[in-house]
Amino acid sequence: MKTTGSGRSPVWLLGTWGVTRLLLLLFVFKVYVFPGPDVTSDVSVIYQGWYDVLRTGTFPLDDVTWQYPPAAALPILSPALLPFLGYAHAFFVLAFVADLAAFALLLYAGRRPGKSLRGAWVWVVGVPLLGPTVYSRYDVMVTAVAVAAVLAGTRHPRVTGALVGFGAMLKVWPLLLLVGVRRRGVWAWAVGTIAGVAALFAVAMPGPFAFLTFQRDRGTEVESLGSLVFHIARHHGWSGQVLLNYGSVEFVGPYVQAVSTAALLLTGMIFGWLLMWRLTATRFEAATVADAAFVAVLMFTVTSRVISPQYMVWLIGLAAVSVCFRGSRMGTPAVLVLLASFVTVLEFPIWFSDVVQSTPVGITLLAARNGLLVLATILAARALWRATVPREEPATVPDQPTHANETSVSP
């Protein structure tokens, strides 16, 4: 069985996907126990608790851990589609289906002219690097929507816009997929979808936007880039502490607010850079929209006050879409994201206790993961800029005649 355009058999690709996903299912179903704390408890405790509240027709307004747009209710309620399974097992199966959908899209796109199966390989290899966490969070479902949105591209602008808008109402970040989009129709459909979904939830369920307040009050999570300041400071007399705060493990104490504010300022600077790029870029190729989306999400992830392990699945998905295009310049950043994903599963869940306690092992793993992400961000942004923004040619100075060639004119 040969692939169109690439001339390569997808047998190894399909086999690798099957084996790795079987292992993930064995871990989340606890046939085998993955090292570290139980990452599936979020589904059986937190998600199922939200499910019980959402079924009553309201959002969990008294729970500060609910920090998601209103359409996030849909994946939380989705296990009701499989009533013959318990809530957690149904959720794992649906996460697996979302993974399969993203893989199928990348495999289909990779066999078309101008595309490559590299994207499918990035997805196949990258997702299992995160361990059972990837099937224990609804981020894989959001990422599947984002993958579909970017691959729809210019051929189906309405579909792209609608998927971007729907994805944004699931978890906000898919809005960044619009950074490199020039067609107004895509933007219009995205805005229209957001407005429609928001209106629907506002009418049907009270409190759909309470999550905005909860997000505003978050601090500095122990895995974020800024947290390295406090991990090191704890060894030099810093008097703060680590607490479970707003649904994540965060630093609380002196100077935490200052570091959180600095992270927000960095995010503002990133927005400014992206705006400047968008205003100066003139060379848009087939891969530009995907590359720009990958760069934007990388930038906002790295500068965020929170870098939860499941965020890595966003980056894996967008890296896969980018390198699916033969003209993409994101090959090296994509590899760095894969390496960062491997380090991520080491720091969470395997050695997460070391991260929380700021041991040398924990600090080293965190510095390595965040360092890889920072390097990937710099290289990706540089590649995007050089590929799309024209270089200013130095002004040409006309040659001046030499003294020997000058013609003397006698009076």
Side-chain angles (χ1 to χ4, degrees):
M1 182 169 55
K2 297 294 182 180
T3 61
T4 302
S6 67
R8 296 181 180 180
S9 170
V11 171
W12 282 103
L13 187 60
L14 294 168
T16 305
W17 185 88
V19 171
T20 55
R21 273 42 179 193
L22 175 61
L23 285 174
L24 287 178
L25 288 173
L26 291 174
F27 283 131
V28 294
F29 279 94
K30 299 183 181 177
V31 177
Y32 297 113
V33 177
F34 199 80
D38 181 13
V39 300
T40 65
S41 61
D42 276 21
V43 176
S44 57
V45 178
I46 298 176
Y47 283 15
Q48 190 162 2
W50 291 339
Y51 173 82
D52 292 336
V53 175
L54 289 166
R55 288 177 63 192
T56 67
T58 184
F59 287 92
L61 302 178
D62 298 326
D63 187 349
V64 295
T65 61
W66 176 262
Q67 301 178 5
Y68 310 108
L74 299 179
I76 301 302
L77 291 169
S78 64
L81 298 172
L82 304 175
F84 49 88
L85 293 175
Y87 181 87
H89 288 178
F91 185 89
F92 300 146
V93 170
L94 292 172
F96 166 82
V97 171
D99 175 12
L100 175 60
F103 171 62
L105 288 169
L106 290 163
L107 181 61
Y108 173 78
R111 302 175 69 184
R112 295 182 64 82
K115 302 292 198 309
S116 167
L117 288 177
R118 292 183 305 167
W121 272 112
V122 168
W123 182 257
V124 167
V125 173
V127 167
L129 288 178
L130 298 175
T133 301
V134 75
Y135 282 179
S136 302
R137 308 291 187 271
Y138 84 92
D139 295 80
V140 68
M141 302 174 184
V142 184
T143 303
V145 173
V147 168
V150 179
L151 289 179
T154 56
R155 298 180 62 198
H156 307 285
R158 296 179 179 180
V159 174
T160 296
L163 287 173
V164 168
F166 180 65
M169 295 305 287
L170 286 170
K171 208 164 186 181
V172 180
W173 68 264
L175 268 179
L176 295 172
L177 304 182
L178 294 173
V179 166
V181 173
R182 293 189 295 173
R183 298 187 66 167
R184 295 181 180 178
V186 176
W187 283 81
W189 273 87
V191 172
T193 302
I194 290 172
V197 173
L200 179 63
F201 276 99
V203 171
M205 300 174 68
F209 300 103
F211 76 98
L212 295 172
T213 300
F214 300 153
Q215 280 284 358
R216 179 194 63 197
D217 295 334
R218 296 196 73 160
T220 298
E221 191 252 350
V222 295
E223 297 165 278
S224 65
L225 183 63
S227 73
L228 286 168
V229 174
F230 301 110
H231 282 294
I232 296 172
R234 292 175 83 182
H235 293 273
H236 298 279
W238 181 68
S239 59
Q241 55 185 326
V242 174
L243 295 175
L244 182 61
N245 198 34
Y246 291 98
S248 64
V249 182
E250 298 181 351
F251 282 111
V252 177
Y255 308 110
V256 171
Q257 186 58 46
V259 171
S260 296
T261 301
L264 291 174
L265 290 174
L266 277 175
T267 300
M269 293 172 63
I270 290 302
F271 178 80
W273 186 92
L274 288 171
L275 180 61
M276 181 173 64
W277 168 78
R278 189 64 183 80
L279 293 174
T280 55
T282 57
R283 295 193 297 264
F284 283 77
E285 302 172 353
T288 301
V289 171
D291 288 352
F294 178 45
V295 170
V297 175
L298 256 176
M299 287 180 160
F300 278 92
T301 299
V302 168
T303 59
S304 174
R305 294 171 293 172
V306 181
I307 307 181
S308 295
Q310 62 267 26
Y311 291 10
M312 296 301 299
V313 75
W314 314 346
L315 302 178
I316 292 169
L318 293 180
V321 175
S322 287
V323 300
C324 184
F325 293 87
R326 292 190 179 277
S328 173
R329 294 166 174 81
M330 297 297 150
T332 299
V335 171
L336 292 173
V337 165
L338 294 180
L339 292 174
S341 299
F342 174 69
V343 180
T344 296
V345 81
L346 298 180
E347 63 92 359
F348 183 90
I350 297 178
W351 279 295
F352 190 58
S353 61
D354 286 270
V355 172
V356 173
Q357 297 170 24
S358 301
T359 68
V361 171
I363 294 175
T364 300
L365 288 173
L366 203 58
R369 194 281 299 272
N370 291 346
L372 287 167
L373 289 180
V374 169
L375 180 59
T377 302
I378 293 171
L379 293 180
R382 181 173 178 265
L384 178 66
W385 186 277
R386 299 183 80 177
T388 57
V389 177
R391 297 182 183 181
E392 293 185 4
E393 298 293 338
T396 303
V397 180
D399 294 335
Q400 298 294 326
T402 60
H403 181 74
N405 294 330
E406 290 178 356
T407 304
S408 299
V409 179
S410 301

